[in-house]
Amino acid sequence: MSNVKNAPRELRREIGLIDLVFLSFGGQSPFLSILSYGVYVFLSVGLIAPLAILLGTVMVLVNGLVVYRLSMRFTQAGGYYTYAYYSLTRRLGFETGWLYTIYSVLYGAAYVVAATSVLSAISGMPPIYLLTSIFAVASAFLLLGIKPTTKYAMVASLVEALAMASIALLFLSASGWRLYNPLAARVTPGALAGAAIMGAAIPTGYGSIAPVSGEVRNPRRNVPLAIVTVILMGGLLAAFDVYAIAAYLLGLSGFQGSLLDLIARRFGLITLAFVLFAAANDGVLATLAFMIAASRTLYAMSYHGLLPQKLSEVRGRAGPLYASLAVIALYALVLYASCLTANLQAAFAAIGFLAMLANSVVHISSNFSLFKIALKRITKRKMEVALSLAATALTLYLFVQSLSDIPSSIILAFMSLLVMGFVVAEVGEMAMEEQEE
């Protein structure tokens, strides 16, 4: 017991603004986002897909501005959990940490499944081998620590950002620079909201930033700047790519096939090979960014006594080693259960929807955190009150509207996870009360 108490529990501040931006941008998996969430949105609502992605980006940006304000006040590790723990209640902090962990595990796992699906369809290799390879590489980087990870993410993310812009320009050029009006398409509000929720999954990669605040140099400056930069980079680039692809498709008649088929047909095998490399690279990057975020959330919860103390032990450059191992175990459970019980496309849709539902509730929690803080000095913080209320209203509207287009089995699974969190929190409170007595 004494070894646990004497073990180091403080994280080192060793990453800067550029490291943080590219780690989180990599967590959005730029190319893979287009091949997965972007294609899903396009198939759901057609030519209005770029607008759906922009609407999702606006929702993410409004919520991101709330986190922007909170990150200037709280610089510890844990992000959303930390905000709720200090500004709301201990129990709501636990529930927020519980849901954020679910979100970060499912969101990262969805990209592993998406990368596996893309690579398996092209190469013909068994999905289980591809999935295991991507998962193993991400896990290895996680255990190496955050500094080597950010160096890898910086190079890989910069190349992909440039490639995304290039492919959009290539598609627009191939269409003869034909532009169209997305507003001319007609969809129901529910379908548009559902598409926006999935479109928001692209820029919501910024959600991996706040939990690592405890390892960022000058966090009151760097964390808020990284949040806004990553949201705008991811959302605008994704909308631009989807718009360019849709504009090109308008000029085709009778084309049937995947986006990969389209790229191979129009730009050749060299471009396709690069896209496949990017898909594999994205699977690693997204998983890695959210593995780090989930482990830092578990670390913070353990630091405050809500989880076993072992999870907050820091082991050199590996950081919170036992929290990282716990996250690897959670990813393995989700990935192999998904791969063995459903086809990859169905698994991706189910995991993606569950992740985004959890993400919506986590952001509602952070909105209430800012609202409660701002109320204490409401005359000087009217803008923060307005921002938190606007973010809550927008998130709730899209959340409720999207429920009509989400399978009931997924909604039931999400509600079960939500209730389970409250039960675990209640049991934990009872155990602590008994110890105090």
Side-chain angles (χ1 to χ4, degrees):
M1 186 70 177
S2 59
N3 290 335
V4 174
K5 288 183 178 179
N6 295 330
R9 301 183 69 208
E10 300 299 332
L11 297 168
R12 292 189 293 184
R13 296 192 179 276
E14 53 183 338
I15 60 174
L17 175 62
I18 301 300
D19 298 319
L20 192 58
V21 166
F22 284 109
L23 175 64
S24 183
F25 184 70
Q28 294 179 345
S29 293
F31 259 124
L32 200 53
S33 289
I34 301 301
L35 296 175
S36 52
Y37 289 109
V39 169
Y40 186 94
V41 172
F42 184 80
L43 293 176
S44 299
V45 293
L47 296 176
I48 204 172
L51 183 62
I53 293 173
L54 287 177
L55 181 59
T57 301
V58 169
M59 181 186 78
V60 172
L61 181 59
V62 172
N63 283 310
L65 291 175
V66 170
V67 182
Y68 177 103
R69 300 300 303 174
L70 289 169
S71 66
M72 296 174 73
R73 290 181 168 89
F74 302 101
T75 60
Q76 307 97 316
Y80 303 88
Y81 153 74
T82 300
Y83 307 152
Y85 179 86
Y86 284 112
S87 62
L88 298 176
T89 66
R90 180 187 179 92
R91 188 171 299 181
L92 286 174
F94 179 90
E95 183 68 20
T96 301
W98 168 273
L99 282 175
Y100 181 84
T101 302
I102 290 172
Y103 156 67
S104 55
V105 170
L106 293 178
Y107 186 80
Y111 277 117
V112 179
V113 171
T116 300
S117 178
V118 169
L119 296 172
S120 178
I122 300 300
S123 69
M125 291 180 63
I128 194 72
Y129 296 154
L130 293 167
L131 182 146
T132 299
S133 299
I134 295 170
F135 176 47
V137 172
S139 299
F141 267 109
L142 175 66
L143 297 177
L144 284 174
I146 197 168
K147 192 63 177 178
T149 295
T150 55
K151 296 306 178 187
Y152 160 65
M154 185 184 302
V155 176
S157 298
L158 183 59
V159 171
E160 289 204 26
L162 294 173
M164 279 184 72
S166 300
I167 283 188
L169 291 173
L170 285 172
F171 270 114
L172 281 176
S173 177
S175 72
W177 301 99
R178 181 190 303 108
L179 304 180
Y180 76 96
N181 180 12
L183 293 173
R186 293 288 180 265
V187 296
T188 64
L192 182 60
I197 286 285
M198 288 301 273
I202 300 172
T204 200
Y206 90 93
S208 64
I209 294 175
V212 302
S213 295
E215 292 159 278
V216 179
R217 297 189 297 269
N218 193 5
R220 284 190 170 84
R221 170 187 175 271
N222 291 336
V223 172
L225 281 176
I227 287 170
V228 174
T229 302
V230 169
I231 292 172
L232 293 178
M233 281 177 63
L236 295 179
L237 267 176
F240 182 40
D241 272 53
V242 171
Y243 181 88
I245 293 166
Y248 178 75
L249 288 174
L250 275 176
L252 295 181
S253 58
F255 175 78
Q256 292 184 343
S258 67
L259 179 57
L260 293 174
D261 296 330
L262 185 62
I263 292 172
R265 168 179 163 176
R266 186 64 188 82
F267 305 116
L269 293 178
I270 294 178
T271 304
L272 177 63
F274 177 78
V275 169
L276 292 177
F277 166 77
N281 185 58
D282 275 352
V284 173
L285 275 175
T287 308
L288 185 53
F290 280 89
M291 278 182 158
I292 292 172
S295 67
R296 274 47 178 184
T297 300
L298 295 182
Y299 159 85
M301 295 173 74
S302 167
Y303 194 93
H304 293 138
L306 299 181
L307 290 176
Q309 196 174 23
K310 199 76 173 172
L311 295 177
S312 57
E313 284 188 30
V314 176
R315 296 300 179 100
R317 293 197 174 276
L321 176 62
Y322 295 106
S324 296
L325 292 173
V327 167
I328 290 172
L330 290 173
Y331 265 83
L333 177 64
V334 172
L335 287 172
Y336 291 108
S338 301
C339 191
L340 296 174
T341 60
N343 67 67
L344 294 176
Q345 289 78 12
F348 169 77
I351 294 173
F353 270 125
L354 276 172
M356 294 316 297
L357 289 172
N359 178 60
S360 297
V361 177
V362 166
H363 277 92
I364 290 171
S365 170
S366 65
N367 296 340
F368 277 114
S369 293
L370 182 62
F371 179 74
K372 185 176 178 181
I373 291 170
L375 277 182
K376 294 177 181 178
R377 300 181 67 183
I378 191 170
T379 55
K380 294 184 178 181
R381 297 173 179 170
K382 292 178 182 178
M383 288 300 297
E384 290 188 339
V385 171
L387 176 62
S388 60
L389 291 176
T392 302
L394 179 59
T395 305
L396 279 173
Y397 172 77
L398 290 175
F399 180 83
V400 173
Q401 285 289 329
S402 68
L403 293 180
S404 61
D405 275 43
I406 296 177
S408 57
S409 58
I410 292 177
I411 296 173
L412 180 61
F414 173 70
M415 295 304 295
S416 299
L417 290 170
L418 193 63
V419 171
M420 194 182 302
F422 279 110
V423 171
V424 173
E426 183 65 29
V427 171
E429 286 289 327
M430 291 171 61
M432 291 188 67
E433 288 174 2
E434 288 181 2
Q435 287 181 354
E436 289 174 358
E437 292 176 359

